[in-house]
Amino acid sequence: MTQLTSLALFKTVLLSGLALWLVVIVVNNVIAFRNGVRSIGALMGMQLFDQNPAIDSPLLSRRVKSASWHQAVYVFILLIEVAVAVLLIRAAFAYIGVLAGGTDIDAVQWANLALSAFVAMAMVMLLGGAWFAYYIRQEGTQITHFVLIGIGVASAVLMNMPGS
């Protein structure tokens, strides 16, 4: 195996792993749909601000208590996750083509598109959470969203390494 082939293999494994991870997330989110809607409802309703010690903040004017809005936002997130998973799967298959002897031009383009969508997905979650000030009582969730952005950026740097 050449160095270029091994790099293409690594890129294939990375894209496939991200795709499969996101597919599992989508399946879990569909199976536990009501729980997900409740979780989004807790975030949008800023319910953690009411836990002891309660936090009184002018940001509480942003509360959204409508169950239909919670469901709509959850469906929106689920649709984004599905779209990103499909793009990651397509990019992984493009790199499988590289391993089979094809060129990497299309593979890099598909990877860049998929990883751009991956970072955008994490940004949507990060910005939505920030709007509802989740960093006050859900720091771990915000950190997770930043880590996803970092994974997307690092993956894009790898995908754009010359030679494969």
Side-chain angles (χ1 to χ4, degrees):
M1 178 181 297
T2 68
Q3 182 179 6
L4 293 178
T5 303
S6 66
L7 183 57
L9 176 62
F10 184 80
K11 291 175 180 183
T12 304
V13 169
L14 178 60
L15 288 166
S16 299
L18 288 173
L20 292 172
W21 170 77
L22 196 51
V23 166
V24 170
I25 297 297
V26 167
V27 169
N28 290 348
N29 286 345
V30 169
I31 290 171
F33 187 84
R34 286 185 186 179
N35 292 348
V37 171
R38 275 195 294 271
S39 179
I40 290 294
L43 171 71
M44 293 176 68
M46 302 173 82
Q47 293 174 6
L48 293 179
F49 280 70
D50 298 330
Q51 289 181 349
N52 284 328
I55 299 173
D56 186 29
S57 169
L59 296 175
L60 290 172
S61 65
R62 296 179 178 171
R63 284 184 192 227
V64 176
K65 294 184 178 183
S66 166
S68 59
W69 270 107
H70 303 162
Q71 186 171 353
V73 168
Y74 190 70
V75 168
F76 174 70
I77 291 169
L78 191 56
L79 291 173
I80 291 173
E81 290 171 344
V82 168
V84 174
V86 167
L87 287 171
L88 286 167
I89 291 166
R90 177 62 181 91
F93 274 107
Y95 266 99
I96 290 170
V98 172
L99 290 172
T103 63
D104 69 341
I105 295 170
D106 285 343
V108 172
Q109 291 173 345
W110 277 107
N112 284 340
L113 178 61
L115 292 168
S116 294
F118 184 83
V119 170
M121 174 189 72
M123 286 286 194
V124 165
M125 295 175 187
L126 181 72
L127 294 170
W131 179 258
F132 294 105
Y134 74 156
Y135 49 84
I136 292 176
R137 289 252 167 105
Q138 292 176 287
E139 312 83 20
T141 306
Q142 178 176 268
I143 290 168
T144 299
H145 295 152
F146 275 121
V147 168
L148 289 174
I149 292 166
I151 289 169
V153 170
S155 297
V157 169
L158 173 67
M159 294 302 149
N160 287 279
M161 290 180 74
S164 81

